Structures are given as C-alpha cells and as structure tokens.
Amino acid sequence: MAETPQKKSFVPTFLAYVAMCMGAIALVEAGMKGHRVGWEQMMLYTAPAVVCGLLAIMLRRDKYTWFGLLFALLAIVALMLGA
C-alpha cells in the first residue's frame, strides 16, 4: 500500500517566526540604544529568540527554521553589543 505523506506541523514554523521577530527586535534595540539598553532588557528579547530557534531546528529542519536559528544568533550578537 502506498503511504500517504504526513502533514507538516505548524509548530516549528511558528517557533521560527517567533525567533525571527525576537531576534530582529533585539538587533533593533541594540542598534538604537547601544550600551544604554542593559542586559536585562536584552535578555528579554534574546532568550526567547534562542530557545524558539533551537526548538524549531530540533523539531524540523527547513528553510524557515534555519532563518529562525540565524536570527537567534543575531540576537546573541545584539546582546553582546547592547549589554
């Protein structure tokens, strides 16, 4: 019998989008305010970006999850620039 392809889950794509949004916000905050941001505010944006990016890449590896991981890495760079 022919196997039917399984429907792809929406969760990894959603997590990747969250990682992209939080990473972009962290990068913008670090770019606008520089070292005045503080590590608490930068961690507010960096931690969800990293967690969501890693969860998305663990669940499924496709174009959007790789972009989510890239933006999570950019959030870490923004943390170093802004804190």
Side-chain angles (χ1 to χ4, degrees):
M1 293 175 56
E3 294 183 24
T4 58
Q6 292 183 352
K7 185 178 178 184
K8 292 184 178 180
S9 176
F10 177 71
V11 175
T13 306
F14 177 73
L15 289 173
Y17 284 147
V18 170
M20 285 186 252
C21 291
M22 297 305 275
I25 290 171
L27 199 61
V28 167
E29 284 288 322
M32 285 180 11
K33 295 183 181 177
H35 288 289
R36 292 181 295 137
V37 178
W39 68 271
E40 298 96 351
Q41 188 175 2
M42 289 305 298
M43 284 302 291
L44 184 68
Y45 301 123
T46 303
V50 170
V51 170
C52 289
L54 289 176
L55 281 174
I57 206 70
M58 283 177 17
L59 293 174
R60 184 175 67 206
R61 290 176 180 89
D62 64 353
K63 177 176 59 174
Y64 296 112
T65 56
W66 285 112
F67 279 133
L69 191 63
L70 174 71
F71 274 89
L73 293 175
L74 285 176
I76 292 173
V77 170
L79 174 68
M80 297 301 144
L81 293 174

